[in-house]
Amino acid sequence: MNDAEFDAALLKTAFAIGAARGWRHVSPAAAARDGGLDLGRARARFIGPGAILRTFGKLADEHALTGALTEGPVKDRLFDVLLRRIDFLQMHRAGVIALLRALPLDPPLAAWLARETARSMGWMLESAGVSALGLRGELRSQGLAAVWAWGVRAWLRDESEDLSATMAAFDVALVRAEQVALQFGGADAAEGFTPETEPPELELPLDQPGPEDFQPTI
């Protein structure tokens, strides 16, 4: 078993533990024991529970970026890469849902995940040909993180096979973000959905989660 296979096996078991017993029971040691994996190797590759989530986020980004659209409007490229990232979460759906439900009880973890998510959104922007560097790039990343959070909240409630409600949520969020960027910053700001103030406060359809549902996500 190479390192990539080992990591994938440990992550799969860790998220299964989170789904079955709650995230307070998740650790590299617990995942190694339940998965029949070498404990020493787990220690070498995962220093603690945070390393599990960091590796998960990295693999989610890699899954999203590999084969992502490189042509067409920015909105279409962002839509494609965000849905690719959702596809990775879908493979660990029960564990991810358990993690997100545990975040309100763990503010430090929620704050850390919010920072990691914004960093991941920078990569999503770069994949669409939009710079995530500097202050403008930080604003773009935060704006896309708001879009991502909205889409994830829809995904949590979407039990359809084709994730049609999730796709619709991302489409509406990206359109709204573009409109807000145009309102505040003009055409240049809209390239990458960069509001010159705070990330957009999105108006949601009645059948979608509202702003009160926004929490840090993975």
Side-chain angles (χ1 to χ4, degrees):
M1 182 183 294
N2 61 33
D3 286 345
E5 292 168 340
F6 183 90
D7 291 354
L10 190 139
L11 288 174
K12 180 178 180 180
T13 303
F15 276 75
I17 292 172
R21 305 203 294 270
W23 272 88
R24 67 185 182 279
H25 297 289
V26 174
S27 71
R33 285 194 300 268
D34 281 24
L37 302 170
D38 182 77
L39 199 61
R41 192 174 181 184
R43 172 61 180 86
R45 298 192 60 75
F46 295 88
I47 194 170
I52 292 174
L53 296 180
R54 181 174 286 110
T55 300
F56 183 85
K58 177 176 177 288
L59 292 178
D61 291 348
E62 290 175 0
H63 184 88
L65 297 170
T66 302
L69 287 179
T70 57
E71 303 291 339
V74 168
K75 175 183 171 293
D76 291 351
R77 283 178 273 164
L78 289 174
F79 181 82
D80 175 68
V81 78
L82 292 177
L83 284 181
R84 286 174 178 274
R85 203 169 190 273
I86 283 288
D87 285 342
F88 188 83
L89 268 60
Q90 182 74 2
M91 290 187 275
H92 304 272
R93 182 178 179 88
V96 172
I97 291 174
L99 171 63
L100 296 179
R101 287 176 175 168
L103 288 183
L105 303 177
D106 194 338
L109 176 61
W112 178 83
L113 275 177
R115 292 191 298 271
E116 291 294 306
T117 298
R119 185 175 293 113
S120 290
M121 292 303 106
W123 280 101
M124 302 303 106
L125 287 165
E126 293 286 354
S127 78
V130 179
S131 174
L133 297 176
L135 178 59
R136 184 178 290 271
E138 290 181 13
L139 289 171
R140 285 173 174 155
S141 296
Q142 291 295 330
L144 192 59
V147 171
W148 173 252
W150 185 4
V152 169
R153 289 299 171 264
W155 171 74
L156 289 172
R157 304 178 186 186
D158 188 354
E159 298 181 356
S160 64
E161 289 187 8
D162 61 357
L163 298 180
S164 56
T166 304
M167 289 190 289
F170 275 121
D171 186 63
V172 171
L174 288 167
V175 169
R176 178 58 179 152
E178 186 175 34
Q179 290 171 346
V180 171
L182 283 168
Q183 178 182 353
F184 283 99
D188 289 341
E191 183 71 9
F193 313 136
T194 308
E196 296 297 334
T197 55
E198 297 179 353
E201 185 174 317
L202 303 172
E203 297 175 2
L204 304 176
L206 293 179
D207 61 346
Q208 296 291 351
E212 68 277 3
D213 292 320
F214 274 44
Q215 296 173 8
T217 186
I218 192 167

